[in-house]
Every structure is written in structure tokens, then in C-alpha cells.
Amino acid sequence: MLTKPEDAASTLSRQFRTARPAVAIVGATGAVGAELLQCLERRNFPLASLRLLASARSAGKTLTFAGEQIVVEELTEASFEGIDLALFSAGSGTSKHYADIAVKAGAIVVDNSSAFRMYPDVPLIVPEVNGAALATHRGIIANPNCVAAIATVALAPLHSAHPIRRLNIATYQSASGAGAAAMEELRESTAAYLNGESYQPRVLPHPYAFNFFSHNADVDQESGYNGEELKVIAETRRILGADELPVGITCIRVPVLRAHGMAITVTFDEAVTPEAARSLLTDAPGLKLVDDRAANRFPMPSEASGEDDVLVGRIRRDLGDPSGRSIALFVVGDQLLKGAALNAVQIAEALLVR
Ligand code: A2P
């Protein structure tokens, strides 16, 4: 159960209670967990201590942080004693059970799961876009769906200059969004394919090597939209502060390890030229322009992987809308970084006592 605003408000500070917070990572052995460790280390996050938590399966394993070996502990209800910041990335069920326990123990939770993203009293934050909403948190802050986080970094500079009236998105999503086991399945099934061996998928529902398929989230039988698509619609609206924004979307899983691509058509309520859009996206926070028509060079997963910045390019007029009000873009971002761990650590950085 989520902490009720009136319970939490009296006891919680909006920032950490100390300049050097004690940090716990829930899901430290997962794909996002590994990136959380790396982001904290390379960004010199000023932590006093680090506790690594995972399921009983991983208890006793060691992981390296800043040259030190840290033993992974089993997550229990007592895990949050003395913790100031709990970074959760172990699925919705784990967050629903333990986030409130962590808050009651005095921690601020940054949750990478979808458990609380649409709770009105839990801010859903992309720091470059709606960082100001962080001030409303009551102990839990939600880290968005990876497509929503990456897309809004590119959409926000446009939206603040010219209100967006409609979006159409087609995604090309990597294995990492389905976790470390799906990344391993992509490697193994590709090797098997190249060796002419058969391979039985275990994590994803369809053959992954040299194939792509509709996103593996459950499909709503009435609308035909899958759970990923519905999350992106709801979260993009919430992050941009555009509750009624019409969004059409198709999410596809492609055989790429860790960067998501998205073709986005943006319709404004007035004509916007590609030059004007390009100028708004140049030097915008968290974005890097890769838009070289002469060299036919645009954002690619191979260049976005391991990069903090989201890449944006192929900025052109949408010929499907003769009114001139629509612009087409191609956006690629590292799913494990801006789509997950980096965004979570940036949220935590904004809560540091300075
Ligand atoms: P473990 O490695 O012990 O299973 P990914 O998204 O890459 O699959 O990673 C999921 C992360 O969440 C892993 O660190 C995993 O730990 C952790 N996890 C999954 N279920 C639980 C649970 N019930 N309690 C604690 N950690 C969990």
C-alpha cells in the first residue's frame, strides 16, 4: 500500500536528510541494476554506503562498485533500515510490496517499475522535462517507461515552443527492456541461428534472432493495443502535462541489445518548419542532434548505446500532412540509461542537499 499523503507529509523532507545518503539498490543483479551501479560510480554520486539487494537466488554473490566488492543481500522487510535512497528495479510486484516499507523506514524511493506511475501523488519525472514536479513527492518518485522517457526528452523542447496537438509513434525496442535474461536470449539465439542449431525461446514469446515482433506485453483484446503502448500513451501525456493529447502508437521488439528507436510524427496547432524544429532541438538538455542528410547519417542504436544523451535526427516535414503542421523525427536512446538507470540517478541527484 502506498503511503497516504497525510502520513508521509509530516515526516518527509523533499530532499535527503543528509548530504551523503545511504543508498540501496533493489534488483542490483538485473540489467538496470548493473547500470545503476555504474551511473552512481561514474557520476560520483556522494553516497555514504551502498546496499545491494536482490532475490534469495542472488544472496551471497558479489558485485563491484568503485573498486570494492559488495555482497548482494536478499531483499527483506528489514533491508531499508538506515537507508536514505532506495532505487527500485525489480519489477512491479516487488515495488508494490516494499516501496512503502522503505518510505516508512525513512528512505526516498525512486521506482523504475510501472507500479506507481499513474498515482496522482507520485510524480513521474524526466528531470529535463518536468523536474519541477519533483517538489510534490511524498516519498515515492516514479521513473517513467523507457519509451516515454526517451521520447519526451525530444518532444519537450518542441512542445514548450509550439503546443503539440497529436503524436504518432512507431517504436523499435531493444532486448534490454525485457531484462538481462532477454538480452542473453538475443545473444544465444543469434549464435544458435548462425550455427544452424535450433533454439527454443524461454524469455520472449517468439524467435528473436533475425526477426522482430509486436511488443510482448499483453494485448488488450478490445482495443488491440498492448500494455507497453498503453503505458507510453498515458505516461507521455503525464510527463508533458498534456492530459488529452491524442497519441497513436505501435510498439515493436527488434533484435538490438540496449537502445530503443522511435519514429515520431508530431502535429502542432500551427505550421512549424523543419528548420524551426531543428533549431529548438539543437543544444536542448539531454539531446544530441544527429541529422546529416548529405551523409545519410541519423540516430542509430550502435551510437546511442552507452550514451547518456538521446539522439534525434531525420527532422523533416511530414508529407502525410499537407498543412505543414506536422514534423517527422527519428529518436534513439539507450534504454538502460535515459530509459531507466540514468534517469533514476538524475532524479536522485536533484534531491541532494547542496
Ligand atoms: P535476481 O537476480 O536475484 O533474480 P532483470 O530486469 O534484468 O530481469 O532483473 C530483475 C532484478 O530484480 C534482479 O536483480 C532480480 O534478482 C530482482 N528480483 C526479481 N524478483 C525479485 C524479488 N522477488 N525480490 C528481490 N529481487 C527480485
Side-chain angles (χ1 to χ4, degrees), residues 27-32 54-55 57-58 75 89-90 94 179-181:
T29 50
V32 175
S55 77
R57 294 179 289 274
S58 303
L75 172 66
S89 192
T94 304

Side-chain angles (χ1 to χ4, degrees), residues 7-19 84 103 106-109 134-141 350-353:
D7 298 343
S10 54
T11 50
L12 265 170
S13 156
R14 297 284 176 256
Q15 294 185 305
F16 300 118
R17 52 194 167 186
T18 158
D84 302 298
V103 171
I108 296 177
V109 168
L134 255 184
T136 65
H137 89 81
R138 294 178 176 278
I140 302 177
I141 297 148
L351 300 168
L352 285 167
V353 178

Side-chain angles (χ1 to χ4, degrees), residues 34-322:
E35 298 296 326
L36 283 168
L37 276 160
Q38 287 186 26
C39 282
L40 291 170
E41 180 173 343
R42 80 181 154 83
R43 295 172 74 87
N44 289 318
F45 189 88
L47 48 82
S49 61
L50 183 59
R51 189 172 294 164
L52 303 182
L53 303 161
S55 77
R57 294 179 289 274
S58 303
K61 275 188 189 167
T62 55
L63 296 173
T64 308
F65 177 77
E68 257 185 65
Q69 299 282 97
I70 303 182
V71 178
V72 177
E73 299 168 44
E74 180 184 357
L75 172 66
T76 70
E77 297 193 355
S79 297
F80 301 99
E81 209 172 299
I83 294 297
D84 302 298
L85 166 65
L87 296 162
F88 273 68
S89 192
S92 260
T94 304
S95 294
K96 280 183 184 146
H97 186 88
Y98 289 96
D100 197 40
I101 293 169
V103 171
K104 288 213 169 86
I108 296 177
V109 168
V110 180
D111 182 31
N112 196 51
S113 83
S114 60
F116 309 114
R117 287 181 190 151
M118 297 313 289
Y119 280 44
D121 61 346
V122 174
L124 178 67
I125 299 291
V126 177
E128 298 90 333
V129 179
N130 65 340
L134 255 184
T136 65
H137 89 81
R138 294 178 176 278
I140 302 177
I141 297 148
N143 204 37
N145 165 281
C146 40
V147 173
I150 292 166
T152 54
V153 171
L155 294 173
L158 300 173
H159 186 56
S160 38
H162 306 281
I164 294 174
R165 291 294 175 238
R166 189 168 68 225
L167 290 175
N168 255 298
I169 307 176
T171 72
Y172 307 75
Q173 294 184 232
S174 61
S176 54
M183 294 173 80
E184 197 47 36
E185 182 153 299
L186 176 55
R187 290 190 191 94
E188 284 175 3
S189 62
T190 304
Y193 186 102
L194 292 173
N195 289 328
E197 295 159 6
S198 68
Y199 185 88
Q200 196 54 42
R202 283 169 285 117
V203 183
L204 290 167
H206 305 294
Y208 204 5
F210 302 96
N211 191 27
F212 57 78
F213 44 86
S214 189
H215 193 283
N216 46 293
D218 289 346
V219 179
D220 174 57
Q221 295 302 306
E222 208 180 309
S223 66
Y225 280 78
N226 62 50
E228 179 78 355
E229 292 162 346
L230 298 173
K231 278 186 212 171
V232 177
I233 294 171
E235 295 182 28
T236 300
R237 287 174 173 164
R238 191 165 182 220
I239 297 162
L240 292 179
D243 292 349
E244 306 292 325
L245 184 65
V247 182
I249 183 162
T250 301
C251 288
I252 302 293
R253 187 75 76 188
V254 297
V256 165
L257 276 173
R258 59 175 290 167
H260 284 357
M262 48 207 81
I264 309 181
T265 304
V266 189
T267 302
F268 305 94
D269 60 5
E270 58 191 342
V272 173
T273 63
E275 293 70 33
R278 192 174 294 110
S279 137
L280 289 165
L281 296 172
T282 303
D283 300 326
L287 265 186
K288 186 167 156 193
L289 208 62
V290 182
D291 199 29
D292 186 346
R293 289 182 182 177
N296 193 357
R297 188 179 186 82
F298 301 110
M300 290 181 272
S302 60
E303 292 185 350
S305 297
E307 274 287 317
D308 285 354
D309 284 341
V310 167
L311 311 184
V312 62
R314 295 223 71 196
I315 303 164
R316 64 207 191 279
R317 195 172 154 179
D318 172 34
L319 296 180
D321 177 2

